[in-house]
Amino acid sequence: MRLLVCGGAGFIGSHFVRIRAREHGDEVTVLDKLTYAGREENLADVRDAAGFRFVHGAIEDADAVADAVEGADAIVNFAAETHVDRSIAEPDAFVRTHALGTYTLLEAARAAGVRYVQVSTDEVYGSIEEGTFTEESPLAPSSPYSATKAGADLLVLGYVHTYGMEALIVRGSNNYGPYQYPEKLIPLMVLNALHGDKLPVYGDGQQVRNWIHATDFARAIGHVLDHGVPGEVYNAGGPDECPNLDVVLRIIELTGGSDDLIEYVTDRPGHDRRYSLSSDKVRALGWEPRVRFHDGLAETVAWYRDNAAWWEPIRSGEYRAYYERHYGRALG
Ligand code: NAD
Ligand code: TYD
């Protein structure tokens, strides 16, 4: 297949590109704006793959999209602003990328007559105290991040109903694994613990997340691309749920740190208490997660410990300013 992968230089997108180029022999074009979260280095080991092409550009730029989509059989869209805390502080880019960007890609897919897969999130369903979300659950997003992702999903479904487009949506739960930007819970806690820095736990730390390894989520997206029914939504959740505090304690254990590093800080506004996702529908297509959280977390901690060359430039760049802006006062 010839794939246009938007946002392929980010965390999950780069795992997807690696799997599709190496294991499926797909010819991949990546279109990526290279925001603070996108890095060409994430694709270093597929740069030489047959048919690989990198286009630097934004998904809301119709000219860049027209160039990138040339010759593609399908578009898979990972491109997004992805950090809830940043969406609370500065929602502008979230609206632009998720609304205008998704619209621009849908128009390009429609003009080219190609299949379109939108990568989405369980956060569009909001928080669930008990039970588990299915694809039929109503959308009730809580943050500018999840609200704009839900808007993008609805636009995709509008194109399916109006134009009969061959579009599909995959909603994932919380991802973890190598190459995740260290603003997110797991890499942030791992790098802080390795440096002996404070570990900022929001509120009481009893919020629950459903963890999926990024390679499992990437494979679920590939499965939906290859076998999904056009117009359908598929949830892909991980095999394990875990309260945040337990995640942090396990990271402390794996890094040989001390519980004294934990600092309880002011809770995130509108913080969702629990996410839980049923994946029965995508499992019926033949997908299942391969990595249990206990093992995947140990492997992820080892990856960050062994790949300082990957995160050192990040920790000393834009991230430092963000970190001070966001945590400075709480952590003194
Ligand atoms: P990420 O922040 O690591 O990467 C996002 C990528 O998109 C970056 O390479 C960035 O440069 C690119 N990008 C951002 N705006 C762009 C634009 N306007 N045009 C072109 N490229 C742009 O994100 P991620 O964690 O890999 O998430 C990928 C997708 O998966 C997102 O759509 C996200 O909503 C979804 N998702 C993420 C998670 C998670 O836990 N990380 C869970 C479920 C779903
Ligand atoms: P995050 O990785 O931002 O993902 P999401 O908000 O999409 O679930 O956060 C995961 C959980 O960890 C969430 O409940 C918020 C919490 N959290 C902290 O307690 N401290 C932190 O410094 C961060 C970044 C997150």
Side-chain angles (χ1 to χ4, degrees):
M1 256 182 138
R2 285 165 302 175
L3 297 179
L4 170 57
V5 180
C6 304
F11 164 49
I12 308 167
S14 62
H15 284 287
F16 179 81
V17 171
R18 204 169 295 115
I19 289 168
R20 295 301 298 204
R22 278 199 189 152
E23 296 176 17
H24 294 246
D26 290 337
E27 293 185 12
V28 178
T29 295
V30 168
L31 172 66
D32 199 296
K33 188 179 171 183
L34 298 179
T35 66
Y36 73 91
R39 301 174 78 204
E40 272 195 86
E41 298 94 295
N42 293 350
L43 296 165
D45 51 0
V46 288
R47 221 174 261 149
D48 297 333
F52 179 80
R53 181 163 77 109
F54 182 82
V55 179
H56 183 200
I59 57 168
E60 61 272 25
D61 176 346
D63 292 337
V65 170
D67 166 26
V69 80
E70 189 75 42
D73 303 312
I75 300 176
V76 183
N77 180 29
F78 291 87
E81 292 290 335
T82 59
H83 193 35
V84 172
D85 292 324
R86 292 197 196 233
S87 84
I88 294 167
E90 290 172 87
D92 186 90
F94 292 73
V95 177
R96 210 174 296 281
T97 293
H98 301 171
L100 274 181
T102 304
Y103 156 72
T104 308
L105 290 178
L106 285 167
E107 282 295 315
R110 188 158 82 92
V114 298
R115 181 170 274 225
Y116 179 89
V117 176
Q118 176 77 358
V119 179
S120 184
T121 166
D122 59 358
E123 301 192 28
V124 297
Y125 299 117
S127 189
I128 188 163
E129 292 280 332
E130 279 173 24
T132 194
F133 288 124
T134 71
E135 290 81 359
E136 308 302 320
S137 301
L139 303 190
S142 320
S143 70
Y145 165 67
S146 51
T148 51
K149 289 294 290 186
D153 284 10
L154 291 175
L155 194 58
V156 172
L157 294 175
Y159 270 62
V160 167
H161 291 294
T162 306
Y163 305 114
M165 257 189 71
E166 222 184 280
L168 305 95
I169 298 172
V170 192
R171 296 184 177 138
S173 60
N174 279 68
N175 278 238
Y176 69 101
Y179 302 101
Q180 188 169 30
Y181 195 82
E183 64 193 353
K184 304 283 172 23
L185 177 77
I186 288 178
L188 183 143
M189 295 296 172
V190 172
L191 294 188
N192 281 19
L194 289 173
H195 288 83
D197 292 343
K198 289 284 183 196
L199 308 177
V201 171
Y202 296 165
D204 62 3
Q206 293 307 315
Q207 306 84 0
V208 172
R209 294 295 182 261
N210 176 191
W211 292 100
I212 185 167
H213 196 275
T215 54
D216 277 334
F217 186 42
R219 285 200 170 83
I221 294 160
H223 228 80
V224 169
L225 169 69
D226 295 338
H227 309 292
V229 176
E232 293 292 315
V233 175
Y234 295 88
N235 291 339
D240 301 292
E241 293 183 16
C242 193
N244 292 340
L245 188 59
D246 291 4
V247 175
V248 173
L249 289 170
R250 171 103 172 107
I251 289 171
I252 290 173
E253 187 185 313
L254 289 163
T255 51
S258 147
D259 293 7
D260 296 343
L261 291 177
I262 293 174
E263 184 89 18
Y264 291 93
V265 300
T266 309
D267 208 352
R268 170 188 282 173
H271 198 170
D272 285 334
R273 194 71 180 161
R274 175 169 173 263
Y275 298 136
S276 179
L277 208 52
S278 155
S279 310
D280 290 350
K281 194 169 164 183
V282 71
R283 280 175 184 266
L285 292 181
W287 170 87
E288 58 177 32
R290 300 179 184 178
V291 187
R292 295 302 301 262
F293 187 51
H294 188 268
D295 306 325
L297 185 56
E299 211 182 89
T300 301
V301 169
W303 186 87
Y304 280 92
R305 188 190 279 118
D306 296 344
N307 285 277
W310 183 84
W311 51 257
E312 262 163 3
I314 295 176
R315 287 227 345 153
S316 57
E318 184 272 353
Y319 179 71
R320 183 53 47 200
Y322 162 75
Y323 191 88
E324 264 148 37
R325 239 179 12 253
H326 185 65
Y327 296 100
R329 195 179 308 163
L331 298 180

